[in-house]
Amino acid sequence: MTHLLHIDSSSLGAGSVSREVAQSFLDQWQGTIVHRDLAATPVPHLSAAGITARLTDPAHYSPEQAAAAAIQDELIEEFLNASAYLFTVPMYNLTMPSAFKAWLDQIIVVDRTFNPTGASPVAGRSAVLISARGGGYGPGTPNEGLDFVVPTLEAVLGRLLGLEVITVIPELTMAPHTPSLTPLLALHEASMADAHERARGLAVAVAA
């Protein structure tokens, strides 16, 4: 049975489009799930103690290094134990929520999850990335080239960690709430329908 690690990073609860689309994936998922909600329970940003602990013999840890290493160990073990991943990472101010960046910085550790000269221990595992955004950032749009979420995460998750990243992008989520975007409402609705359909299909495909 496929074991899924689901990382949420949207600051919204019921109003989050990323979480809504992720639920369509989860409703079809056949397997076990570990869910970590970084908005409800944030992980700390990487500290000097966390960095130096990676280079220090545990027998010589300071109390601060021991505490930082314990957090990293918990998150890394959780990450390595999964066989597939679901990341819900909306666009905030053209990039990812700081909560998700903090999680990445804690789990990307040379010779544990990242091998600069060879394959990562999670290489080839499937990762579904759901990234909602208020506008449109695709080719030909006024915002083309301003998406610093998906390209960054495809590089980090795909190139550094070796995951097989599949991206689902529900867009124009501000169209129902912003009068100037009302003409784009039909495009938003089509994007949402496509995102939910893809999420459901990916749940079946990844679990298989």
Side-chain angles (χ1 to χ4, degrees):
M1 183 174 289
T2 307
H3 177 54
L4 181 76
L5 175 60
H6 175 204
I7 303 291
D8 258 325
S9 64
S10 172
S11 296
L12 290 174
S16 167
V17 171
S18 294
R19 291 177 186 263
E20 179 186 330
V21 174
Q23 190 59 52
S24 287
F25 180 100
L26 296 168
D27 288 344
Q28 298 297 316
W29 180 254
Q30 297 295 317
T32 56
I33 302 171
V34 167
H35 178 216
R36 182 173 289 272
D37 189 335
L38 298 177
T41 309
V43 302
H45 289 279
L46 188 60
S47 64
I51 294 171
T52 57
R54 298 173 179 181
L55 307 172
T56 302
D57 184 333
H60 301 297
Y61 279 167
S62 68
E64 293 78 14
Q65 287 174 320
I71 292 169
Q72 291 182 43
D73 289 345
E74 176 187 348
L75 296 174
I76 289 170
E77 181 179 4
E78 185 175 79
F79 177 71
L80 292 176
N81 284 342
S83 48
Y85 305 88
L86 174 63
F87 301 117
T88 52
V89 189
M91 176 187 283
Y92 289 171
N93 300 316
L94 303 182
T95 188
M96 72 188 80
S98 62
F100 193 78
K101 181 60 164 60
W103 178 81
L104 283 175
D105 289 341
Q106 294 284 3
I107 65 108
I108 298 178
V109 179
V110 173
D111 294 331
R112 296 187 69 183
T113 59
F114 167 56
N115 184 341
T117 61
S120 159
V122 299
R125 299 180 192 177
S126 295
V128 175
L129 169 63
I130 297 173
S131 182
R133 59 278 315 281
Y137 295 81
T141 66
N143 293 325
E144 181 180 358
L146 294 179
D147 179 358
F148 299 103
V149 184
V150 170
T152 300
L153 290 181
E154 288 179 341
V156 173
L157 300 172
R159 294 193 63 177
L160 292 188
L161 296 176
L163 298 176
E164 297 292 336
V165 182
I166 308 160
T167 305
V168 178
I169 303 178
E171 61 181 5
L172 298 166
T173 63
M174 291 304 296
H177 315 290
T178 307
S180 62
L181 296 179
T182 298
L184 303 176
L185 188 57
L187 291 176
H188 160 66
E189 292 171 347
S191 175
M192 288 296 298
D194 179 68
H196 282 287
E197 181 179 359
R198 289 195 64 215
R200 288 189 288 266
L202 286 168
V204 175
V206 171

PDB file of all heavy atoms in Angstrom, residues 178-192:
ATOM      1  N   THR A 178     -13.018  39.878  -7.125  1.00  0.00           N
ATOM      2  CA  THR A 178     -12.410  41.128  -7.577  1.00  0.00           C
ATOM      3  C   THR A 178     -13.135  41.620  -8.825  1.00  0.00           C
ATOM      4  O   THR A 178     -13.069  40.970  -9.883  1.00  0.00           O
ATOM      5  CB  THR A 178     -10.917  40.903  -7.896  1.00  0.00           C
ATOM      6  OG1 THR A 178     -10.278  40.305  -6.772  1.00  0.00           O
ATOM      7  CG2 THR A 178     -10.242  42.219  -8.227  1.00  0.00           C
ATOM      8  N   PRO A 179     -13.841  42.751  -8.721  1.00  0.00           N
ATOM      9  CA  PRO A 179     -14.627  43.221  -9.880  1.00  0.00           C
ATOM     10  C   PRO A 179     -13.823  43.357 -11.168  1.00  0.00           C
ATOM     11  O   PRO A 179     -14.327  43.031 -12.248  1.00  0.00           O
ATOM     12  CB  PRO A 179     -15.138  44.585  -9.397  1.00  0.00           C
ATOM     13  CG  PRO A 179     -15.236  44.439  -7.905  1.00  0.00           C
ATOM     14  CD  PRO A 179     -14.069  43.580  -7.525  1.00  0.00           C
ATOM     15  N   SER A 180     -12.584  43.799 -11.076  1.00  0.00           N
ATOM     16  CA  SER A 180     -11.795  43.986 -12.301  1.00  0.00           C
ATOM     17  C   SER A 180     -11.475  42.662 -12.987  1.00  0.00           C
ATOM     18  O   SER A 180     -11.112  42.631 -14.164  1.00  0.00           O
ATOM     19  CB  SER A 180     -10.496  44.724 -11.986  1.00  0.00           C
ATOM     20  OG  SER A 180      -9.679  43.968 -11.095  1.00  0.00           O
ATOM     21  N   LEU A 181     -11.595  41.536 -12.249  1.00  0.00           N
ATOM     22  CA  LEU A 181     -11.316  40.224 -12.830  1.00  0.00           C
ATOM     23  C   LEU A 181     -12.573  39.465 -13.236  1.00  0.00           C
ATOM     24  O   LEU A 181     -12.481  38.331 -13.700  1.00  0.00           O
ATOM     25  CB  LEU A 181     -10.514  39.373 -11.827  1.00  0.00           C
ATOM     26  CG  LEU A 181      -9.117  39.870 -11.463  1.00  0.00           C
ATOM     27  CD1 LEU A 181      -8.470  38.934 -10.436  1.00  0.00           C
ATOM     28  CD2 LEU A 181      -8.234  39.982 -12.699  1.00  0.00           C
ATOM     29  N   THR A 182     -13.729  40.096 -13.091  1.00  0.00           N
ATOM     30  CA  THR A 182     -14.992  39.423 -13.427  1.00  0.00           C
ATOM     31  C   THR A 182     -14.997  38.873 -14.854  1.00  0.00           C
ATOM     32  O   THR A 182     -15.512  37.766 -15.085  1.00  0.00           O
ATOM     33  CB  THR A 182     -16.182  40.375 -13.210  1.00  0.00           C
ATOM     34  OG1 THR A 182     -16.239  40.734 -11.827  1.00  0.00           O
ATOM     35  CG2 THR A 182     -17.491  39.712 -13.612  1.00  0.00           C
ATOM     36  N   PRO A 183     -14.435  39.585 -15.840  1.00  0.00           N
ATOM     37  CA  PRO A 183     -14.419  39.007 -17.205  1.00  0.00           C
ATOM     38  C   PRO A 183     -13.656  37.690 -17.311  1.00  0.00           C
ATOM     39  O   PRO A 183     -13.815  36.964 -18.309  1.00  0.00           O
ATOM     40  CB  PRO A 183     -13.728  40.100 -18.029  1.00  0.00           C
ATOM     41  CG  PRO A 183     -13.962  41.371 -17.273  1.00  0.00           C
ATOM     42  CD  PRO A 183     -13.918  40.968 -15.829  1.00  0.00           C
ATOM     43  N   LEU A 184     -12.840  37.383 -16.300  1.00  0.00           N
ATOM     44  CA  LEU A 184     -12.043  36.149 -16.324  1.00  0.00           C
ATOM     45  C   LEU A 184     -12.685  35.024 -15.506  1.00  0.00           C
ATOM     46  O   LEU A 184     -12.079  33.970 -15.325  1.00  0.00           O
ATOM     47  CB  LEU A 184     -10.632  36.423 -15.793  1.00  0.00           C
ATOM     48  CG  LEU A 184      -9.839  37.508 -16.525  1.00  0.00           C
ATOM     49  CD1 LEU A 184      -8.508  37.753 -15.836  1.00  0.00           C
ATOM     50  CD2 LEU A 184      -9.634  37.118 -17.981  1.00  0.00           C
ATOM     51  N   LEU A 185     -13.902  35.255 -15.052  1.00  0.00           N
ATOM     52  CA  LEU A 185     -14.541  34.274 -14.175  1.00  0.00           C
ATOM     53  C   LEU A 185     -14.714  32.920 -14.850  1.00  0.00           C
ATOM     54  O   LEU A 185     -14.491  31.873 -14.234  1.00  0.00           O
ATOM     55  CB  LEU A 185     -15.894  34.810 -13.715  1.00  0.00           C
ATOM     56  CG  LEU A 185     -16.621  34.001 -12.632  1.00  0.00           C
ATOM     57  CD1 LEU A 185     -15.747  33.847 -11.394  1.00  0.00           C
ATOM     58  CD2 LEU A 185     -17.944  34.688 -12.274  1.00  0.00           C
ATOM     59  N   ALA A 186     -15.092  32.917 -16.126  1.00  0.00           N
ATOM     60  CA  ALA A 186     -15.278  31.641 -16.826  1.00  0.00           C
ATOM     61  C   ALA A 186     -13.959  30.880 -16.928  1.00  0.00           C
ATOM     62  O   ALA A 186     -13.933  29.645 -16.792  1.00  0.00           O
ATOM     63  CB  ALA A 186     -15.863  31.878 -18.210  1.00  0.00           C
ATOM     64  N   LEU A 187     -12.860  31.600 -17.142  1.00  0.00           N
ATOM     65  CA  LEU A 187     -11.546  30.950 -17.191  1.00  0.00           C
ATOM     66  C   LEU A 187     -11.189  30.364 -15.832  1.00  0.00           C
ATOM     67  O   LEU A 187     -10.614  29.268 -15.742  1.00  0.00           O
ATOM     68  CB  LEU A 187     -10.488  31.945 -17.641  1.00  0.00           C
ATOM     69  CG  LEU A 187     -10.554  32.414 -19.096  1.00  0.00           C
ATOM     70  CD1 LEU A 187      -9.493  33.485 -19.345  1.00  0.00           C
ATOM     71  CD2 LEU A 187     -10.342  31.229 -20.040  1.00  0.00           C
ATOM     72  N   HIS A 188     -11.514  31.090 -14.768  1.00  0.00           N
ATOM     73  CA  HIS A 188     -11.268  30.574 -13.414  1.00  0.00           C
ATOM     74  C   HIS A 188     -12.064  29.292 -13.178  1.00  0.00           C
ATOM     75  O   HIS A 188     -11.526  28.299 -12.671  1.00  0.00           O
ATOM     76  CB  HIS A 188     -11.657  31.620 -12.376  1.00  0.00           C
ATOM     77  CG  HIS A 188     -11.891  31.046 -11.010  1.00  0.00           C
ATOM     78  ND1 HIS A 188     -10.887  30.470 -10.251  1.00  0.00           N
ATOM     79  CD2 HIS A 188     -13.032  30.918 -10.272  1.00  0.00           C
ATOM     80  CE1 HIS A 188     -11.387  30.040  -9.108  1.00  0.00           C
ATOM     81  NE2 HIS A 188     -12.683  30.289  -9.106  1.00  0.00           N
ATOM     82  N   GLU A 189     -13.329  29.313 -13.536  1.00  0.00           N
ATOM     83  CA  GLU A 189     -14.173  28.135 -13.304  1.00  0.00           C
ATOM     84  C   GLU A 189     -13.670  26.933 -14.092  1.00  0.00           C
ATOM     85  O   GLU A 189     -13.670  25.793 -13.581  1.00  0.00           O
ATOM     86  CB  GLU A 189     -15.621  28.465 -13.665  1.00  0.00           C
ATOM     87  CG  GLU A 189     -16.245  29.477 -12.699  1.00  0.00           C
ATOM     88  CD  GLU A 189     -17.607  29.974 -13.159  1.00  0.00           C
ATOM     89  OE1 GLU A 189     -17.967  29.725 -14.342  1.00  0.00           O
ATOM     90  OE2 GLU A 189     -18.293  30.613 -12.347  1.00  0.00           O
ATOM     91  N   ALA A 190     -13.211  27.166 -15.313  1.00  0.00           N
ATOM     92  CA  ALA A 190     -12.658  26.071 -16.115  1.00  0.00           C
ATOM     93  C   ALA A 190     -11.365  25.553 -15.491  1.00  0.00           C
ATOM     94  O   ALA A 190     -11.119  24.332 -15.460  1.00  0.00           O
ATOM     95  CB  ALA A 190     -12.401  26.545 -17.542  1.00  0.00           C
ATOM     96  N   SER A 191     -10.547  26.464 -14.987  1.00  0.00           N
ATOM     97  CA  SER A 191      -9.299  26.062 -14.329  1.00  0.00           C
ATOM     98  C   SER A 191      -9.578  25.228 -13.091  1.00  0.00           C
ATOM     99  O   SER A 191      -8.901  24.222 -12.839  1.00  0.00           O
ATOM    100  CB  SER A 191      -8.490  27.309 -13.950  1.00  0.00           C
ATOM    101  OG  SER A 191      -7.325  26.960 -13.218  1.00  0.00           O
ATOM    102  N   MET A 192     -10.577  25.613 -12.310  1.00  0.00           N
ATOM    103  CA  MET A 192     -10.927  24.863 -11.102  1.00  0.00           C
ATOM    104  C   MET A 192     -11.435  23.466 -11.452  1.00  0.00           C
ATOM    105  O   MET A 192     -11.048  22.471 -10.818  1.00  0.00           O
ATOM    106  CB  MET A 192     -11.987  25.620 -10.307  1.00  0.00           C
ATOM    107  CG  MET A 192     -11.470  26.861  -9.615  1.00  0.00           C
ATOM    108  SD  MET A 192     -10.235  26.485  -8.345  1.00  0.00           S
ATOM    109  CE  MET A 192     -11.213  25.495  -7.209  1.00  0.00           C
TER     110      MET A 192
END
